[in-house]
């Protein structure tokens, strides 16, 4: 949480100190035009505003763009640094602190920074990857419930958990040794490379449909007479409980962060009602709403969750594999035939590759929820998830543009254009990501190129964001709404009456709609994907009294002791 706050505060402070040059508007200029308005309200340099009775409103001093440039100059002036930092602390930083409440894979500090940069530089693809992740979890759950209906509900869910955990490691070891060398994976010993390659290809063929392998392994009928199948189901339930123990969601932390942001937002509007505002308050609110899509992204990431450490899922899968081997050894001693054990490339080749490189490959193989390798380039499912991923960003941009449009001077100015350009930039970044996915086969190179691209987009947007806060658009041209008014462009020098009217009504309503829209979208996503989002979230009641409790018939089967696991280890060593 602290890392994300420093990423926001330090660059902002530097830009604000550099740009702290002058006041917002020289009071002498306002007094100059006020004197002109009192003497001649119809002076051509002024744009008069009228009461309902036809008299001129002397409190609103509105001048033409030419008159403003004549007195203030054509350039821009920086805001005071303390004033800018106050606006950042009140409106934007509490929202960016939500990034700190996300769950990050335990793959090192640099990976965490890469995930944050990917989120800020390409929010659409990040949200789409999160949707793909939760959709895959739901697919495993529904497929097991549909095609394994003869098994207990707990076993169905346990198998879905195992398949989801396998999926993260499925692309962990490349099929081709050339890809292994490019991604930094090197053989630990001097085994014949052709033998390693043959093992890899054979394993990958086996893993193309791990579901059917698990289905055959656990039994394909309602015939529960085989104690071996009951033992297999039991170890699957044990693995599911272990997955649940080492799984972290971070949902409570995210909800607390969201509650904190809501309190700060309400307090900021209360300060405006008490008169603590300036004439760019509306635009400050707009830039805060521009990043309201963070609410949906952080909430979805917290719903999916992740493992406590990078070893957690691997350790559970290894123990599951050893328990499967122990079952086969136990029954082979009794004279029964042995069957092949479901496995993936991780377990058949883990001795050939250095562990540090293996864990590093999780960055691009499935360990990060905001990045999914080898996504499809087209299709109905791709189109559906892509459109859904655009919704939170488009909603944030539309509300930000509308708030900025209604801020004095009413119309399309530099800030409104910047909101639209931010949206275009995010969509362009998503387009480049799709091109990289379609043009690059290696997941390692996809992650590498996307990180480079996201660094460029995120750096450019961060610089523009803080420069705007520090006064980049503090010029007569940007305040005049020239893009929509053109020849009638003018600058309202005393917007206080309009701000007092707009803040508690339109701006507050649009801000609430922007935030509630993100929450409503997340609620719809959760309702639709609730089976996938809750796959690993197992309560104590579900574990001991519900779905993941080991059935009594399974409990009466022979216990798989430590002796048989040690025997399985000895058997593996003898075959190595």
């Amino acid at each position: 949480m602290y890392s994300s706050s420093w990423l926001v505060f330090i660059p902002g402070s530097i830009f604000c100190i550099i740009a702290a040059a002058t006041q917002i508007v020289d009071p002498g200029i306002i007094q100059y035009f006020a004197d002109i308005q009192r003497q001649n309200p119809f002076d051509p340099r002024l744009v008069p505003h009228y009461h309902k009775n036809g008299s001129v409103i002397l409190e609103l001093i509105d001048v033409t763009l030419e008159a403003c440039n004549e007195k203030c100059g054509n350039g821009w002036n920086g805001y005071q640094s303390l004033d800018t930092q106050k606006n950042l602390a009140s409106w934007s930083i509490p929202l960016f602190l939500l990034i700190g409440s996300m769950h990050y894979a335990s793959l090192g500090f640099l990976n965490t920074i890469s995930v944050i940069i990917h989120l800020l530089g390409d929010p659409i693809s990040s949200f789409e990857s999160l949707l793909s992740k939760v959709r895959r979890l739901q697919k495993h759950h529904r497929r097991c419930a549909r095609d394994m209906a003869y098994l207990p509900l707990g076993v169905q869910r346990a198998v879905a958990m195992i398949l989801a955990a396998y999926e993260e490691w499925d692309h962990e070891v490349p099929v081709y040794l050339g890809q292994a060398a490019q991604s930094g994976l090197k053989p630990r010993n001097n085994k014949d490379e052709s033998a390693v390659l043959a093992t890899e290809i054979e394993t990958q063929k086996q893993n193309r449909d791990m579901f059917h392998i698990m289905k055959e392994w656990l039994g394909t009928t309602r015939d529960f007479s085989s104690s071996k199948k009951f033992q297999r189901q039991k170890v699957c339930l044990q693995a599911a409980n272990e997955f649940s123990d080492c799984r972290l969601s971070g949902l409570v932390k995210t909800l607390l962060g969201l509650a904190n942001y809501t309190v700060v937002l309400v307090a900021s509007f209360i300060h405006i009602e008490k008169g603590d505002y300036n004439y760019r308050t509306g635009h400050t609110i707009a830039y805060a709403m521009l990043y309201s899509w963070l609410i949906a992204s952080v909430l979805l990431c917290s719903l999916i969750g992740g493992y406590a450490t990078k070893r957690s899922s691997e350790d559970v899968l290894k123990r599951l594999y050893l328990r499967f081997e122990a079952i086969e050894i136990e029954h082979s001693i009794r004279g029964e035939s042995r069957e092949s054990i479901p496995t993936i490339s991780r377990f058949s080749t883990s001795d050939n590759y250095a562990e540090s490189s293996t864990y590093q490959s999780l960055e691009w193989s499935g360990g990060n929820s905001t990045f999914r390798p080898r996504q499809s380039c087209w299709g109905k499912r791709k189109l559906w998830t892509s459109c859904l991923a655009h919704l939170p960003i488009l909603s944030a941009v539309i509300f930000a543009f509308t708030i900025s449009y209604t801020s004095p001077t009413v119309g399309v100015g530099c800030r409104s254009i910047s909101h639209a350009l931010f949206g275009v930039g995010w969509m362009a970044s998503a387009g480049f990501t799709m091109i990289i996915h379609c043009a690059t086969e290696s997941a390692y190179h996809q992650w590498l190129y996307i990180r480079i691209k996201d660094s460029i987009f995120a750096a450019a947007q961060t610089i523009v964001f803080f420069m705007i806060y520090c006064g980049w658009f503090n010029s007569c041209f940007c305040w005049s709404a020239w893009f929509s008014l053109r020849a009638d462009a003018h600058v309202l020098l005393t917007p206080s009456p309009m701000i007092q009217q707009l803040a508690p009504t339109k701006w507050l309503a649009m801000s609430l709609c922007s935030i509630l829209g993100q929450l409503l979208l997340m609620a719809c996503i959760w309702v639709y994907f609730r089976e996938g989002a809750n796959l690993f979230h197992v309560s104590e009641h579900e574990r001991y009294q519900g779905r993941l409790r080991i059935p009594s018939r399974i409990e009466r089967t022979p216990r798989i002791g430590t002796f048989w696991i040690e025997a399985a280890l000895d058997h593996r060593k003898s075959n190595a």
Side-chain angles (χ1 to χ4, degrees):
M1 184 171 182
Y2 297 101
S3 61
S4 61
S5 62
W6 282 111
L7 287 173
V8 173
F9 183 76
I10 292 178
S13 301
I14 295 174
F15 281 121
C16 293
I17 293 173
I18 294 175
T22 63
Q23 288 279 355
I24 299 173
V25 177
D26 187 352
I29 296 176
I30 298 178
Q31 185 62 41
Y32 170 79
F33 285 108
D35 294 338
I36 294 176
Q37 183 162 270
R38 281 194 297 270
Q39 296 173 4
N40 182 15
F42 303 102
D43 189 286
R45 291 171 292 182
L46 302 176
V47 179
H49 294 259
Y50 299 96
H51 289 289
K52 292 182 179 179
N53 58 8
S55 61
V56 177
I57 304 176
L58 297 178
E59 293 80 7
L60 295 179
I61 303 174
D62 203 347
V63 301
T64 63
L65 177 58
E66 293 78 9
C68 183
N69 285 330
E70 181 181 350
K71 294 298 296 183
C72 301
N74 296 323
W76 63 276
N77 294 318
Y79 303 131
Q80 288 186 341
S81 59
L82 292 178
D83 185 58
T84 301
Q85 292 176 5
K86 178 182 176 181
N87 287 331
L88 282 170
S90 299
W91 297 100
S92 295
I93 288 182
L95 183 60
F96 281 99
L97 287 178
L98 286 176
I99 299 176
S101 63
M102 290 178 59
H103 176 81
Y104 299 98
S106 302
L107 299 174
F109 178 74
L110 292 180
N111 177 72
T112 301
I113 297 299
S114 299
V115 171
I116 294 175
I117 292 175
H118 181 50
L119 178 65
L120 296 177
D122 192 358
I124 296 175
S125 296
S126 298
F127 197 76
E128 185 177 353
S129 296
L130 291 171
L131 289 173
S132 299
K133 177 77 172 180
V134 72
R135 180 178 57 80
R136 291 289 301 175
L137 295 177
Q138 178 156 296
K139 178 182 177 181
H140 291 312
H141 188 279
R142 289 184 173 179
R143 190 178 186 187
C144 291
R146 182 185 67 247
D147 297 343
M148 293 184 176
Y150 51 86
L151 295 177
L153 293 177
V155 178
Q156 297 173 16
R157 187 173 181 180
V159 174
M161 290 184 184
I162 294 170
L163 293 175
Y166 271 140
E167 192 174 52
E168 290 192 5
W169 293 95
D170 191 32
H171 302 291
E172 172 262 322
V173 179
V175 177
Y176 302 105
L177 294 179
Q179 294 180 7
Q182 292 173 357
S183 58
L185 302 178
K186 297 180 179 180
R188 179 176 290 180
N189 49 41
N190 295 324
K191 288 187 176 181
D192 184 15
E193 291 188 354
S194 60
V196 177
L197 177 60
T199 303
E200 288 291 331
I201 295 176
E202 183 62 29
T203 306
Q204 288 292 335
K205 289 180 179 179
Q206 183 188 32
N207 293 335
R208 285 176 182 173
D209 200 347
M210 182 60 64
F211 172 80
H212 290 293
I213 298 175
M214 291 294 296
K215 182 178 179 180
E216 182 178 354
W217 182 255
L218 296 175
T220 57
T221 64
R222 292 180 178 271
D223 181 14
F224 295 148
S225 59
S226 173
S227 62
K228 182 188 292 189
K229 288 183 169 51
F230 273 110
Q231 288 179 306
R232 293 170 180 172
Q233 295 175 21
K234 179 177 179 179
V235 299
C236 287
L237 288 169
Q238 291 174 343
N241 286 324
E242 292 173 2
F243 278 130
S244 178
D245 288 337
C246 63
R247 192 81 175 182
L248 300 176
S249 67
L251 184 59
V252 175
K253 183 171 62 173
T254 301
L255 292 177
L256 290 175
L258 184 58
N260 173 71
Y261 172 69
T262 304
V263 171
V264 172
L265 184 68
V266 172
S268 299
F269 274 103
I270 292 175
H271 284 299
I272 294 176
E273 184 68 20
K274 293 181 178 180
D276 186 10
Y277 59 85
N278 53 50
Y279 73 91
R280 69 180 189 277
T281 296
H283 299 292
T284 304
I285 298 173
Y287 279 105
M289 294 302 105
L290 181 64
Y291 282 87
S292 61
W293 52 263
L294 282 171
I295 296 174
S297 298
V298 173
L299 277 175
L300 183 56
C301 186
S302 299
L303 278 176
I304 296 173
Y307 297 104
T309 66
K310 60 187 177 183
R311 291 179 175 271
S312 299
S313 62
E314 181 200 29
D315 291 342
V316 175
L317 291 174
K318 279 186 174 180
R319 287 193 294 270
L320 175 65
Y321 181 75
L322 291 176
R323 287 166 183 156
F324 279 158
E325 277 195 317
I327 293 173
E328 292 305 306
I329 293 175
E330 178 183 359
H331 286 272
S332 64
I333 292 176
R334 298 175 183 177
E336 300 180 16
S337 60
R338 291 196 58 177
E339 301 179 29
S340 60
I341 302 173
T343 181
I344 59 173
S345 57
R346 169 67 182 161
F347 300 104
S348 59
T349 61
S350 58
D351 294 334
N352 298 327
Y353 295 94
E355 288 190 0
S356 59
S357 299
T358 297
Y359 289 127
Q360 183 184 1
S361 67
L362 279 175
E363 295 182 19
W364 58 82
S365 66
N368 292 323
S369 298
T370 56
F371 174 76
R372 302 293 295 167
R374 301 182 176 91
Q375 295 187 16
S376 60
C377 299
W378 51 79
K380 293 182 178 179
R381 187 171 298 169
K382 170 69 176 179
L383 180 62
W384 184 82
T385 55
S386 180
C387 291
L388 187 59
H390 279 74
L391 286 181
I393 284 78
L394 290 177
S395 173
V397 172
I398 290 172
F399 279 108
F401 183 91
T402 305
I403 294 174
S404 186
Y405 181 89
T406 57
S407 300
T409 304
V410 178
V412 180
C414 296
R415 294 165 181 82
S416 303
I417 295 296
S418 69
H419 299 322
L421 291 179
F422 267 75
V424 171
W426 286 325
M427 287 188 285
S429 180
F432 282 117
T433 299
M434 186 180 68
I435 293 174
I436 292 173
H437 276 301
C438 296
T440 310
E441 295 183 359
S442 169
Y444 165 75
H445 286 102
Q446 287 180 11
W447 179 234
L448 175 64
Y449 299 150
I450 288 175
R451 279 188 298 175
I452 295 174
K453 180 265 300 178
D454 290 337
S455 299
I456 297 173
F457 275 88
Q461 292 176 11
T462 302
I463 293 173
V464 172
F465 181 83
F466 285 113
M467 287 297 291
I468 292 172
Y469 259 92
C470 296
W472 194 16
F473 289 161
N474 187 28
S475 64
C476 293
F477 176 80
C478 289
W479 284 110
S480 65
W482 179 87
F483 294 96
S484 59
L485 299 179
R486 299 290 177 163
D488 297 328
H490 54 89
V491 180
L492 183 63
L493 299 181
T494 55
S496 297
M498 294 186 64
I499 293 177
Q500 292 176 343
Q501 179 184 1
L502 291 170
T505 55
K506 290 184 178 180
W507 293 348
L508 178 60
M510 285 187 284
S511 299
L512 292 177
C513 288
S514 178
I515 295 174
L516 293 177
Q518 302 292 336
L519 295 176
L520 179 61
L521 175 64
M522 271 307 306
C524 295
I525 291 175
W526 181 85
V527 169
Y528 186 81
F529 293 110
R530 61 185 179 277
E531 295 170 339
N534 297 328
L535 180 60
F536 286 94
H537 300 169
V538 183
S539 64
E540 295 299 319
H541 173 77
E542 288 179 314
R543 183 174 303 171
Y544 296 109
Q545 301 179 15
R547 298 177 180 177
L548 284 186
R549 184 171 67 92
I550 300 175
S552 57
R553 174 66 182 84
I554 298 181
E555 289 174 346
R556 291 196 294 268
T557 58
R559 180 186 176 94
I560 303 173
T562 307
F563 170 77
W564 298 113
I565 295 181
E566 293 177 352
L569 286 171
D570 295 338
H571 178 73
R572 293 186 71 190
K573 290 179 180 179
S574 62
N575 291 338

